[in-house]
Amino acid sequence: LPVLCALSRHGPRAMSFSGLGRAATALGLEAARTHGAQLRVLDLSMCALGSPAFLRGIAYTCEHLQVLDLTDCAAAVDDAALASVAARCSDMRVLSLNSCVRAGDDGLAALASGCRQLRALHLFGCPAAGPRGIAAIATGCPHLVCVDLTCSGAASDAAVGVLARSGLALRAVGAGCAASLTDETVCDLAAACRASLEHVFLPTCPRLTAASAAALQACPRLRCALLLASCDAVPLVVSRGHDGAGGYP
């Protein structure tokens, strides 16, 4: 790995250690620390990160990161570690915290304050995240276009309502398993983001009906919407081609 890193005159700008074992992860983290000033993209998903101290160290040395994937790094991610990321990594654009069960509202509030360039936030399977944290993100991150709340504590009518009222030009929204999500809120979201919305992921939301599907289908840029109609528990997939801009982060 040191030899590969040395091939670039100024060091690597992107590194991925996804799914590597503990020894490889330790080597990768040392390389990340060594070349942190140049790194823009770092994938640590499914790595054996032992504690939040690892993430604090990454934040301290890799202050120019724009993309950070911490999927399944539950042991290393808590609100204090996210506060360290927010304090050091103001250029962050895409942050994946999927299955980080200790990523909560206080950490999200810190990110909203320090990472105002954030465009995409992935919170799948984060039970500690809630509407308060989403409200902070919606207020503090004006460039946000993609947010996934599926199976998180923020998969709720309240949190999606916050997004609908935020004024954000959202392109992709996920809130699967939101038992409280209502047609009214989905219709509000569709109306608020009518000019921008392209992807919607709302499976296993038992209160939704054909009214939500109709509201989303009225969005001219919509590419794909997945809902679960409560009347017959059959997934409804709406998909159509689109000639506009490319995908979302």
Side-chain angles (χ1 to χ4, degrees), residues 40-43 64-71 85 89-98 111 115-122 143-147 247-249:
R40 300 297 185 271
V41 179
L42 182 59
D43 183 357
H64 299 298
L65 277 178
Q66 296 180 2
V67 180
L68 178 60
D69 192 341
L70 297 168
T71 295
V85 171
C89 304
S90 61
D91 291 335
M92 190 70 68
R93 305 292 202 274
V94 180
L95 182 60
S96 296
L97 300 174
N98 300 322
L111 292 171
C115 300
R116 292 181 53 81
Q117 301 302 315
L118 198 66
R119 292 177 55 82
L121 179 63
H122 301 274
H143 305 292
L144 192 74
V145 295
C146 171
V147 58
Y248 56 93

PDB file of all heavy atoms in Angstrom, residues 40-43 64-71 85 89-98 111 115-122 143-147 247-249:
ATOM      1  N   ARG A  40      -9.771  13.194  -0.749  1.00  0.00           N
ATOM      2  CA  ARG A  40     -11.094  13.775  -0.935  1.00  0.00           C
ATOM      3  C   ARG A  40     -12.196  12.736  -0.748  1.00  0.00           C
ATOM      4  O   ARG A  40     -13.315  13.094  -0.369  1.00  0.00           O
ATOM      5  CB  ARG A  40     -11.219  14.380  -2.351  1.00  0.00           C
ATOM      6  CG  ARG A  40     -10.206  15.493  -2.639  1.00  0.00           C
ATOM      7  CD  ARG A  40     -10.407  16.693  -1.731  1.00  0.00           C
ATOM      8  NE  ARG A  40      -9.519  17.792  -2.077  1.00  0.00           N
ATOM      9  CZ  ARG A  40      -8.308  17.960  -1.584  1.00  0.00           C
ATOM     10  NH1 ARG A  40      -7.825  17.084  -0.705  1.00  0.00           N
ATOM     11  NH2 ARG A  40      -7.566  18.986  -1.938  1.00  0.00           N
ATOM     12  N   VAL A  41     -11.881  11.465  -1.013  1.00  0.00           N
ATOM     13  CA  VAL A  41     -12.867  10.380  -0.925  1.00  0.00           C
ATOM     14  C   VAL A  41     -12.283   9.249  -0.082  1.00  0.00           C
ATOM     15  O   VAL A  41     -11.170   8.789  -0.345  1.00  0.00           O
ATOM     16  CB  VAL A  41     -13.225   9.828  -2.332  1.00  0.00           C
ATOM     17  CG1 VAL A  41     -14.232   8.691  -2.217  1.00  0.00           C
ATOM     18  CG2 VAL A  41     -13.765  10.939  -3.217  1.00  0.00           C
ATOM     19  N   LEU A  42     -13.035   8.805   0.935  1.00  0.00           N
ATOM     20  CA  LEU A  42     -12.573   7.732   1.811  1.00  0.00           C
ATOM     21  C   LEU A  42     -13.735   6.786   2.103  1.00  0.00           C
ATOM     22  O   LEU A  42     -14.765   7.197   2.638  1.00  0.00           O
ATOM     23  CB  LEU A  42     -12.024   8.300   3.116  1.00  0.00           C
ATOM     24  CG  LEU A  42     -11.450   7.295   4.121  1.00  0.00           C
ATOM     25  CD1 LEU A  42     -10.303   6.497   3.499  1.00  0.00           C
ATOM     26  CD2 LEU A  42     -10.967   8.016   5.383  1.00  0.00           C
ATOM     27  N   ASP A  43     -13.562   5.525   1.734  1.00  0.00           N
ATOM     28  CA  ASP A  43     -14.581   4.499   1.960  1.00  0.00           C
ATOM     29  C   ASP A  43     -14.083   3.544   3.041  1.00  0.00           C
ATOM     30  O   ASP A  43     -13.161   2.760   2.820  1.00  0.00           O
ATOM     31  CB  ASP A  43     -14.849   3.733   0.663  1.00  0.00           C
ATOM     32  CG  ASP A  43     -15.952   2.686   0.813  1.00  0.00           C
ATOM     33  OD1 ASP A  43     -16.463   2.510   1.936  1.00  0.00           O
ATOM     34  OD2 ASP A  43     -16.305   2.055  -0.198  1.00  0.00           O
ATOM     35  N   HIS A  64      -9.940  17.747   4.319  1.00  0.00           N
ATOM     36  CA  HIS A  64     -10.497  18.140   3.023  1.00  0.00           C
ATOM     37  C   HIS A  64     -11.409  17.070   2.422  1.00  0.00           C
ATOM     38  O   HIS A  64     -11.770  17.157   1.245  1.00  0.00           O
ATOM     39  CB  HIS A  64      -9.376  18.468   2.041  1.00  0.00           C
ATOM     40  CG  HIS A  64      -8.506  19.606   2.483  1.00  0.00           C
ATOM     41  ND1 HIS A  64      -9.000  20.886   2.662  1.00  0.00           N
ATOM     42  CD2 HIS A  64      -7.190  19.647   2.811  1.00  0.00           C
ATOM     43  CE1 HIS A  64      -8.020  21.681   3.064  1.00  0.00           C
ATOM     44  NE2 HIS A  64      -6.918  20.953   3.175  1.00  0.00           N
ATOM     45  N   LEU A  65     -11.806  16.094   3.216  1.00  0.00           N
ATOM     46  CA  LEU A  65     -12.685  15.047   2.711  1.00  0.00           C
ATOM     47  C   LEU A  65     -13.993  15.631   2.185  1.00  0.00           C
ATOM     48  O   LEU A  65     -14.587  16.533   2.790  1.00  0.00           O
ATOM     49  CB  LEU A  65     -13.010  14.041   3.826  1.00  0.00           C
ATOM     50  CG  LEU A  65     -12.004  12.941   4.101  1.00  0.00           C
ATOM     51  CD1 LEU A  65     -12.485  12.076   5.262  1.00  0.00           C
ATOM     52  CD2 LEU A  65     -11.763  12.073   2.874  1.00  0.00           C
ATOM     53  N   GLN A  66     -14.430  15.075   1.055  1.00  0.00           N
ATOM     54  CA  GLN A  66     -15.715  15.459   0.483  1.00  0.00           C
ATOM     55  C   GLN A  66     -16.710  14.299   0.482  1.00  0.00           C
ATOM     56  O   GLN A  66     -17.922  14.524   0.482  1.00  0.00           O
ATOM     57  CB  GLN A  66     -15.531  15.967  -0.945  1.00  0.00           C
ATOM     58  CG  GLN A  66     -14.702  17.238  -1.021  1.00  0.00           C
ATOM     59  CD  GLN A  66     -14.535  17.736  -2.434  1.00  0.00           C
ATOM     60  OE1 GLN A  66     -15.055  17.162  -3.387  1.00  0.00           O
ATOM     61  NE2 GLN A  66     -13.798  18.829  -2.599  1.00  0.00           N
ATOM     62  N   VAL A  67     -16.187  13.070   0.479  1.00  0.00           N
ATOM     63  CA  VAL A  67     -17.038  11.874   0.488  1.00  0.00           C
ATOM     64  C   VAL A  67     -16.501  10.914   1.540  1.00  0.00           C
ATOM     65  O   VAL A  67     -15.323  10.542   1.499  1.00  0.00           O
ATOM     66  CB  VAL A  67     -17.057  11.175  -0.888  1.00  0.00           C
ATOM     67  CG1 VAL A  67     -17.937   9.933  -0.848  1.00  0.00           C
ATOM     68  CG2 VAL A  67     -17.538  12.132  -1.972  1.00  0.00           C
ATOM     69  N   LEU A  68     -17.355  10.511   2.487  1.00  0.00           N
ATOM     70  CA  LEU A  68     -16.950   9.602   3.557  1.00  0.00           C
ATOM     71  C   LEU A  68     -18.041   8.558   3.759  1.00  0.00           C
ATOM     72  O   LEU A  68     -19.191   8.895   4.039  1.00  0.00           O
ATOM     73  CB  LEU A  68     -16.718  10.371   4.849  1.00  0.00           C
ATOM     74  CG  LEU A  68     -16.322   9.546   6.087  1.00  0.00           C
ATOM     75  CD1 LEU A  68     -15.022   8.789   5.847  1.00  0.00           C
ATOM     76  CD2 LEU A  68     -16.190  10.458   7.305  1.00  0.00           C
ATOM     77  N   ASP A  69     -17.671   7.297   3.592  1.00  0.00           N
ATOM     78  CA  ASP A  69     -18.618   6.188   3.774  1.00  0.00           C
ATOM     79  C   ASP A  69     -18.252   5.424   5.034  1.00  0.00           C
ATOM     80  O   ASP A  69     -17.199   4.800   5.109  1.00  0.00           O
ATOM     81  CB  ASP A  69     -18.585   5.254   2.557  1.00  0.00           C
ATOM     82  CG  ASP A  69     -19.751   4.261   2.554  1.00  0.00           C
ATOM     83  OD1 ASP A  69     -20.356   4.040   3.626  1.00  0.00           O
ATOM     84  OD2 ASP A  69     -20.046   3.701   1.489  1.00  0.00           O
ATOM     85  N   LEU A  70     -19.139   5.476   6.024  1.00  0.00           N
ATOM     86  CA  LEU A  70     -18.943   4.791   7.298  1.00  0.00           C
ATOM     87  C   LEU A  70     -20.009   3.726   7.523  1.00  0.00           C
ATOM     88  O   LEU A  70     -20.316   3.381   8.666  1.00  0.00           O
ATOM     89  CB  LEU A  70     -18.968   5.807   8.442  1.00  0.00           C
ATOM     90  CG  LEU A  70     -17.848   6.854   8.423  1.00  0.00           C
ATOM     91  CD1 LEU A  70     -18.147   7.966   9.413  1.00  0.00           C
ATOM     92  CD2 LEU A  70     -16.502   6.201   8.728  1.00  0.00           C
ATOM     93  N   THR A  71     -20.567   3.207   6.457  1.00  0.00           N
ATOM     94  CA  THR A  71     -21.597   2.173   6.558  1.00  0.00           C
ATOM     95  C   THR A  71     -21.107   0.995   7.398  1.00  0.00           C
ATOM     96  O   THR A  71     -20.000   0.485   7.187  1.00  0.00           O
ATOM     97  CB  THR A  71     -21.993   1.678   5.154  1.00  0.00           C
ATOM     98  OG1 THR A  71     -22.600   2.767   4.437  1.00  0.00           O
ATOM     99  CG2 THR A  71     -22.966   0.520   5.224  1.00  0.00           C
ATOM    100  N   VAL A  85     -15.936  15.319  13.072  1.00  0.00           N
ATOM    101  CA  VAL A  85     -16.014  15.407  11.616  1.00  0.00           C
ATOM    102  C   VAL A  85     -16.542  16.779  11.202  1.00  0.00           C
ATOM    103  O   VAL A  85     -16.009  17.434  10.298  1.00  0.00           O
ATOM    104  CB  VAL A  85     -16.912  14.291  11.049  1.00  0.00           C
ATOM    105  CG1 VAL A  85     -17.169  14.498   9.554  1.00  0.00           C
ATOM    106  CG2 VAL A  85     -16.277  12.920  11.279  1.00  0.00           C
ATOM    107  N   CYS A  89     -14.136  18.887   8.860  1.00  0.00           N
ATOM    108  CA  CYS A  89     -14.364  18.534   7.449  1.00  0.00           C
ATOM    109  C   CYS A  89     -15.486  19.386   6.858  1.00  0.00           C
ATOM    110  O   CYS A  89     -16.561  18.882   6.504  1.00  0.00           O
ATOM    111  CB  CYS A  89     -14.685  17.058   7.314  1.00  0.00           C
ATOM    112  SG  CYS A  89     -13.435  15.951   8.017  1.00  0.00           S
ATOM    113  N   SER A  90     -15.235  20.653   6.718  1.00  0.00           N
ATOM    114  CA  SER A  90     -16.277  21.574   6.251  1.00  0.00           C
ATOM    115  C   SER A  90     -16.596  21.411   4.772  1.00  0.00           C
ATOM    116  O   SER A  90     -17.610  21.944   4.298  1.00  0.00           O
ATOM    117  CB  SER A  90     -15.861  23.021   6.528  1.00  0.00           C
ATOM    118  OG  SER A  90     -14.657  23.333   5.847  1.00  0.00           O
ATOM    119  N   ASP A  91     -15.755  20.682   4.025  1.00  0.00           N
ATOM    120  CA  ASP A  91     -16.001  20.467   2.598  1.00  0.00           C
ATOM    121  C   ASP A  91     -16.841  19.225   2.317  1.00  0.00           C
ATOM    122  O   ASP A  91     -17.066  18.893   1.152  1.00  0.00           O
ATOM    123  CB  ASP A  91     -14.670  20.331   1.832  1.00  0.00           C
ATOM    124  CG  ASP A  91     -13.893  21.631   1.772  1.00  0.00           C
ATOM    125  OD1 ASP A  91     -14.524  22.695   1.877  1.00  0.00           O
ATOM    126  OD2 ASP A  91     -12.662  21.575   1.615  1.00  0.00           O
ATOM    127  N   MET A  92     -17.307  18.546   3.349  1.00  0.00           N
ATOM    128  CA  MET A  92     -18.019  17.282   3.164  1.00  0.00           C
ATOM    129  C   MET A  92     -19.243  17.465   2.268  1.00  0.00           C
ATOM    130  O   MET A  92     -20.066  18.351   2.483  1.00  0.00           O
ATOM    131  CB  MET A  92     -18.453  16.721   4.518  1.00  0.00           C
ATOM    132  CG  MET A  92     -18.975  15.297   4.457  1.00  0.00           C
ATOM    133  SD  MET A  92     -17.668  14.105   4.096  1.00  0.00           S
ATOM    134  CE  MET A  92     -16.699  14.223   5.622  1.00  0.00           C
ATOM    135  N   ARG A  93     -19.348  16.581   1.252  1.00  0.00           N
ATOM    136  CA  ARG A  93     -20.483  16.613   0.332  1.00  0.00           C
ATOM    137  C   ARG A  93     -21.405  15.411   0.506  1.00  0.00           C
ATOM    138  O   ARG A  93     -22.628  15.563   0.428  1.00  0.00           O
ATOM    139  CB  ARG A  93     -19.992  16.637  -1.119  1.00  0.00           C
ATOM    140  CG  ARG A  93     -19.037  17.743  -1.486  1.00  0.00           C
ATOM    141  CD  ARG A  93     -19.696  19.117  -1.476  1.00  0.00           C
ATOM    142  NE  ARG A  93     -18.984  20.082  -2.287  1.00  0.00           N
ATOM    143  CZ  ARG A  93     -17.961  20.821  -1.895  1.00  0.00           C
ATOM    144  NH1 ARG A  93     -17.501  20.681  -0.657  1.00  0.00           N
ATOM    145  NH2 ARG A  93     -17.392  21.703  -2.692  1.00  0.00           N
ATOM    146  N   VAL A  94     -20.814  14.227   0.706  1.00  0.00           N
ATOM    147  CA  VAL A  94     -21.593  12.987   0.791  1.00  0.00           C
ATOM    148  C   VAL A  94     -21.149  12.215   2.028  1.00  0.00           C
ATOM    149  O   VAL A  94     -19.963  11.908   2.178  1.00  0.00           O
ATOM    150  CB  VAL A  94     -21.396  12.108  -0.466  1.00  0.00           C
ATOM    151  CG1 VAL A  94     -22.216  10.828  -0.357  1.00  0.00           C
ATOM    152  CG2 VAL A  94     -21.781  12.878  -1.723  1.00  0.00           C
ATOM    153  N   LEU A  95     -22.106  11.901   2.904  1.00  0.00           N
ATOM    154  CA  LEU A  95     -21.800  11.190   4.138  1.00  0.00           C
ATOM    155  C   LEU A  95     -22.758  10.016   4.300  1.00  0.00           C
ATOM    156  O   LEU A  95     -23.979  10.202   4.320  1.00  0.00           O
ATOM    157  CB  LEU A  95     -21.914  12.126   5.336  1.00  0.00           C
ATOM    158  CG  LEU A  95     -21.582  11.533   6.709  1.00  0.00           C
ATOM    159  CD1 LEU A  95     -20.143  11.020   6.754  1.00  0.00           C
ATOM    160  CD2 LEU A  95     -21.798  12.591   7.798  1.00  0.00           C
ATOM    161  N   SER A  96     -22.200   8.823   4.409  1.00  0.00           N
ATOM    162  CA  SER A  96     -23.000   7.612   4.586  1.00  0.00           C
ATOM    163  C   SER A  96     -22.781   7.073   5.990  1.00  0.00           C
ATOM    164  O   SER A  96     -21.665   6.685   6.349  1.00  0.00           O
ATOM    165  CB  SER A  96     -22.614   6.542   3.553  1.00  0.00           C
ATOM    166  OG  SER A  96     -22.899   6.987   2.239  1.00  0.00           O
ATOM    167  N   LEU A  97     -23.871   7.044   6.770  1.00  0.00           N
ATOM    168  CA  LEU A  97     -23.828   6.564   8.151  1.00  0.00           C
ATOM    169  C   LEU A  97     -24.744   5.363   8.333  1.00  0.00           C
ATOM    170  O   LEU A  97     -25.203   5.091   9.440  1.00  0.00           O
ATOM    171  CB  LEU A  97     -24.256   7.684   9.110  1.00  0.00           C
ATOM    172  CG  LEU A  97     -23.396   8.950   9.094  1.00  0.00           C
ATOM    173  CD1 LEU A  97     -24.025  10.026   9.974  1.00  0.00           C
ATOM    174  CD2 LEU A  97     -21.972   8.648   9.548  1.00  0.00           C
ATOM    175  N   ASN A  98     -25.001   4.630   7.268  1.00  0.00           N
ATOM    176  CA  ASN A  98     -25.919   3.501   7.326  1.00  0.00           C
ATOM    177  C   ASN A  98     -25.531   2.509   8.417  1.00  0.00           C
ATOM    178  O   ASN A  98     -24.360   2.126   8.539  1.00  0.00           O
ATOM    179  CB  ASN A  98     -25.956   2.776   5.975  1.00  0.00           C
ATOM    180  CG  ASN A  98     -26.417   3.676   4.845  1.00  0.00           C
ATOM    181  OD1 ASN A  98     -27.304   4.498   5.034  1.00  0.00           O
ATOM    182  ND2 ASN A  98     -25.804   3.529   3.685  1.00  0.00           N
ATOM    183  N   LEU A 111     -23.236  18.254  12.478  1.00  0.00           N
ATOM    184  CA  LEU A 111     -22.972  18.208  11.039  1.00  0.00           C
ATOM    185  C   LEU A 111     -23.651  19.368  10.318  1.00  0.00           C
ATOM    186  O   LEU A 111     -23.095  19.960   9.397  1.00  0.00           O
ATOM    187  CB  LEU A 111     -23.458  16.878  10.460  1.00  0.00           C
ATOM    188  CG  LEU A 111     -22.696  15.628  10.886  1.00  0.00           C
ATOM    189  CD1 LEU A 111     -23.428  14.374  10.402  1.00  0.00           C
ATOM    190  CD2 LEU A 111     -21.262  15.641  10.338  1.00  0.00           C
ATOM    191  N   CYS A 115     -20.884  21.214   8.375  1.00  0.00           N
ATOM    192  CA  CYS A 115     -20.789  20.659   7.014  1.00  0.00           C
ATOM    193  C   CYS A 115     -21.907  21.233   6.150  1.00  0.00           C
ATOM    194  O   CYS A 115     -22.779  20.511   5.651  1.00  0.00           O
ATOM    195  CB  CYS A 115     -20.867  19.133   7.043  1.00  0.00           C
ATOM    196  SG  CYS A 115     -19.568  18.342   8.015  1.00  0.00           S
ATOM    197  N   ARG A 116     -21.870  22.511   5.934  1.00  0.00           N
ATOM    198  CA  ARG A 116     -22.975  23.186   5.242  1.00  0.00           C
ATOM    199  C   ARG A 116     -22.978  22.932   3.736  1.00  0.00           C
ATOM    200  O   ARG A 116     -23.934  23.296   3.044  1.00  0.00           O
ATOM    201  CB  ARG A 116     -22.925  24.686   5.526  1.00  0.00           C
ATOM    202  CG  ARG A 116     -23.240  25.017   6.981  1.00  0.00           C
ATOM    203  CD  ARG A 116     -23.219  26.510   7.246  1.00  0.00           C
ATOM    204  NE  ARG A 116     -24.057  27.276   6.350  1.00  0.00           N
ATOM    205  CZ  ARG A 116     -25.377  27.425   6.497  1.00  0.00           C
ATOM    206  NH1 ARG A 116     -25.995  26.839   7.501  1.00  0.00           N
ATOM    207  NH2 ARG A 116     -26.070  28.144   5.635  1.00  0.00           N
ATOM    208  N   GLN A 117     -21.926  22.285   3.206  1.00  0.00           N
ATOM    209  CA  GLN A 117     -21.891  21.931   1.784  1.00  0.00           C
ATOM    210  C   GLN A 117     -22.487  20.557   1.515  1.00  0.00           C
ATOM    211  O   GLN A 117     -22.502  20.099   0.370  1.00  0.00           O
ATOM    212  CB  GLN A 117     -20.447  21.971   1.271  1.00  0.00           C
ATOM    213  CG  GLN A 117     -19.759  23.305   1.423  1.00  0.00           C
ATOM    214  CD  GLN A 117     -20.502  24.420   0.713  1.00  0.00           C
ATOM    215  OE1 GLN A 117     -20.930  24.265  -0.427  1.00  0.00           O
ATOM    216  NE2 GLN A 117     -20.668  25.544   1.392  1.00  0.00           N
ATOM    217  N   LEU A 118     -22.993  19.901   2.556  1.00  0.00           N
ATOM    218  CA  LEU A 118     -23.489  18.538   2.420  1.00  0.00           C
ATOM    219  C   LEU A 118     -24.601  18.450   1.372  1.00  0.00           C
ATOM    220  O   LEU A 118     -25.552  19.229   1.384  1.00  0.00           O
ATOM    221  CB  LEU A 118     -24.017  18.052   3.773  1.00  0.00           C
ATOM    222  CG  LEU A 118     -24.195  16.541   3.950  1.00  0.00           C
ATOM    223  CD1 LEU A 118     -22.846  15.837   3.907  1.00  0.00           C
ATOM    224  CD2 LEU A 118     -24.892  16.251   5.275  1.00  0.00           C
ATOM    225  N   ARG A 119     -24.462  17.466   0.485  1.00  0.00           N
ATOM    226  CA  ARG A 119     -25.455  17.254  -0.574  1.00  0.00           C
ATOM    227  C   ARG A 119     -26.218  15.945  -0.400  1.00  0.00           C
ATOM    228  O   ARG A 119     -27.355  15.837  -0.866  1.00  0.00           O
ATOM    229  CB  ARG A 119     -24.769  17.270  -1.948  1.00  0.00           C
ATOM    230  CG  ARG A 119     -24.212  18.615  -2.349  1.00  0.00           C
ATOM    231  CD  ARG A 119     -23.479  18.542  -3.678  1.00  0.00           C
ATOM    232  NE  ARG A 119     -24.285  17.997  -4.745  1.00  0.00           N
ATOM    233  CZ  ARG A 119     -25.174  18.697  -5.461  1.00  0.00           C
ATOM    234  NH1 ARG A 119     -25.367  19.984  -5.188  1.00  0.00           N
ATOM    235  NH2 ARG A 119     -25.854  18.131  -6.429  1.00  0.00           N
ATOM    236  N   ALA A 120     -25.598  14.962   0.220  1.00  0.00           N
ATOM    237  CA  ALA A 120     -26.258  13.665   0.376  1.00  0.00           C
ATOM    238  C   ALA A 120     -25.960  13.095   1.758  1.00  0.00           C
ATOM    239  O   ALA A 120     -24.801  13.082   2.192  1.00  0.00           O
ATOM    240  CB  ALA A 120     -25.799  12.681  -0.701  1.00  0.00           C
ATOM    241  N   LEU A 121     -27.010  12.626   2.431  1.00  0.00           N
ATOM    242  CA  LEU A 121     -26.877  12.052   3.772  1.00  0.00           C
ATOM    243  C   LEU A 121     -27.648  10.746   3.811  1.00  0.00           C
ATOM    244  O   LEU A 121     -28.853  10.718   3.551  1.00  0.00           O
ATOM    245  CB  LEU A 121     -27.416  13.022   4.816  1.00  0.00           C
ATOM    246  CG  LEU A 121     -27.369  12.554   6.271  1.00  0.00           C
ATOM    247  CD1 LEU A 121     -25.922  12.331   6.724  1.00  0.00           C
ATOM    248  CD2 LEU A 121     -28.053  13.569   7.180  1.00  0.00           C
ATOM    249  N   HIS A 122     -26.950   9.669   4.156  1.00  0.00           N
ATOM    250  CA  HIS A 122     -27.546   8.333   4.180  1.00  0.00           C
ATOM    251  C   HIS A 122     -27.603   7.838   5.622  1.00  0.00           C
ATOM    252  O   HIS A 122     -26.571   7.642   6.270  1.00  0.00           O
ATOM    253  CB  HIS A 122     -26.728   7.380   3.310  1.00  0.00           C
ATOM    254  CG  HIS A 122     -26.626   7.826   1.879  1.00  0.00           C
ATOM    255  ND1 HIS A 122     -27.581   7.526   0.940  1.00  0.00           N
ATOM    256  CD2 HIS A 122     -25.695   8.578   1.249  1.00  0.00           C
ATOM    257  CE1 HIS A 122     -27.249   8.051  -0.224  1.00  0.00           C
ATOM    258  NE2 HIS A 122     -26.101   8.704  -0.059  1.00  0.00           N
ATOM    259  N   HIS A 143     -27.705  22.919   0.462  1.00  0.00           N
ATOM    260  CA  HIS A 143     -27.429  22.260  -0.814  1.00  0.00           C
ATOM    261  C   HIS A 143     -27.856  20.786  -0.811  1.00  0.00           C
ATOM    262  O   HIS A 143     -27.607  20.084  -1.790  1.00  0.00           O
ATOM    263  CB  HIS A 143     -25.941  22.361  -1.145  1.00  0.00           C
ATOM    264  CG  HIS A 143     -25.425  23.762  -1.149  1.00  0.00           C
ATOM    265  ND1 HIS A 143     -25.786  24.699  -2.087  1.00  0.00           N
ATOM    266  CD2 HIS A 143     -24.590  24.404  -0.283  1.00  0.00           C
ATOM    267  CE1 HIS A 143     -25.189  25.849  -1.832  1.00  0.00           C
ATOM    268  NE2 HIS A 143     -24.462  25.696  -0.745  1.00  0.00           N
ATOM    269  N   LEU A 144     -28.491  20.323   0.248  1.00  0.00           N
ATOM    270  CA  LEU A 144     -28.886  18.921   0.354  1.00  0.00           C
ATOM    271  C   LEU A 144     -29.868  18.561  -0.758  1.00  0.00           C
ATOM    272  O   LEU A 144     -30.880  19.229  -0.953  1.00  0.00           O
ATOM    273  CB  LEU A 144     -29.522  18.665   1.715  1.00  0.00           C
ATOM    274  CG  LEU A 144     -29.732  17.197   2.089  1.00  0.00           C
ATOM    275  CD1 LEU A 144     -28.393  16.550   2.441  1.00  0.00           C
ATOM    276  CD2 LEU A 144     -30.692  17.080   3.276  1.00  0.00           C
ATOM    277  N   VAL A 145     -29.576  17.474  -1.476  1.00  0.00           N
ATOM    278  CA  VAL A 145     -30.477  17.010  -2.537  1.00  0.00           C
ATOM    279  C   VAL A 145     -30.898  15.561  -2.351  1.00  0.00           C
ATOM    280  O   VAL A 145     -31.862  15.111  -2.960  1.00  0.00           O
ATOM    281  CB  VAL A 145     -29.844  17.171  -3.944  1.00  0.00           C
ATOM    282  CG1 VAL A 145     -29.620  18.635  -4.271  1.00  0.00           C
ATOM    283  CG2 VAL A 145     -28.546  16.379  -4.063  1.00  0.00           C
ATOM    284  N   CYS A 146     -30.179  14.810  -1.517  1.00  0.00           N
ATOM    285  CA  CYS A 146     -30.463  13.390  -1.335  1.00  0.00           C
ATOM    286  C   CYS A 146     -30.417  13.046   0.147  1.00  0.00           C
ATOM    287  O   CYS A 146     -29.443  13.352   0.823  1.00  0.00           O
ATOM    288  CB  CYS A 146     -29.434  12.552  -2.106  1.00  0.00           C
ATOM    289  SG  CYS A 146     -29.513  10.767  -1.776  1.00  0.00           S
ATOM    290  N   VAL A 147     -31.482  12.401   0.645  1.00  0.00           N
ATOM    291  CA  VAL A 147     -31.505  11.985   2.047  1.00  0.00           C
ATOM    292  C   VAL A 147     -32.260  10.668   2.153  1.00  0.00           C
ATOM    293  O   VAL A 147     -33.336  10.506   1.582  1.00  0.00           O
ATOM    294  CB  VAL A 147     -32.135  13.077   2.942  1.00  0.00           C
ATOM    295  CG1 VAL A 147     -33.546  13.416   2.510  1.00  0.00           C
ATOM    296  CG2 VAL A 147     -32.103  12.670   4.401  1.00  0.00           C
ATOM    297  N   GLY A 247     -27.537  11.090 -12.277  1.00  0.00           N
ATOM    298  CA  GLY A 247     -28.022  10.586 -10.995  1.00  0.00           C
ATOM    299  C   GLY A 247     -27.635  11.478  -9.821  1.00  0.00           C
ATOM    300  O   GLY A 247     -26.950  12.482  -9.975  1.00  0.00           O
ATOM    301  N   TYR A 248     -28.074  11.084  -8.645  1.00  0.00           N
ATOM    302  CA  TYR A 248     -27.832  11.863  -7.446  1.00  0.00           C
ATOM    303  C   TYR A 248     -26.676  11.258  -6.668  1.00  0.00           C
ATOM    304  O   TYR A 248     -26.299  10.110  -6.896  1.00  0.00           O
ATOM    305  CB  TYR A 248     -29.102  11.918  -6.579  1.00  0.00           C
ATOM    306  CG  TYR A 248     -29.640  10.573  -6.201  1.00  0.00           C
ATOM    307  CD1 TYR A 248     -29.275   9.954  -5.003  1.00  0.00           C
ATOM    308  CD2 TYR A 248     -30.522   9.896  -7.031  1.00  0.00           C
ATOM    309  CE1 TYR A 248     -29.770   8.720  -4.667  1.00  0.00           C
ATOM    310  CE2 TYR A 248     -31.023   8.652  -6.683  1.00  0.00           C
ATOM    311  CZ  TYR A 248     -30.640   8.079  -5.509  1.00  0.00           C
ATOM    312  OH  TYR A 248     -31.116   6.850  -5.164  1.00  0.00           O
ATOM    313  N   PRO A 249     -26.118  11.989  -5.735  1.00  0.00           N
ATOM    314  CA  PRO A 249     -24.947  11.491  -4.988  1.00  0.00           C
ATOM    315  C   PRO A 249     -25.283  10.271  -4.167  1.00  0.00           C
ATOM    316  O   PRO A 249     -26.376  10.176  -3.628  1.00  0.00           O
ATOM    317  CB  PRO A 249     -24.596  12.676  -4.067  1.00  0.00           C
ATOM    318  CG  PRO A 249     -25.157  13.877  -4.740  1.00  0.00           C
ATOM    319  CD  PRO A 249     -26.423  13.399  -5.401  1.00  0.00           C
TER     320      PRO A 249
END
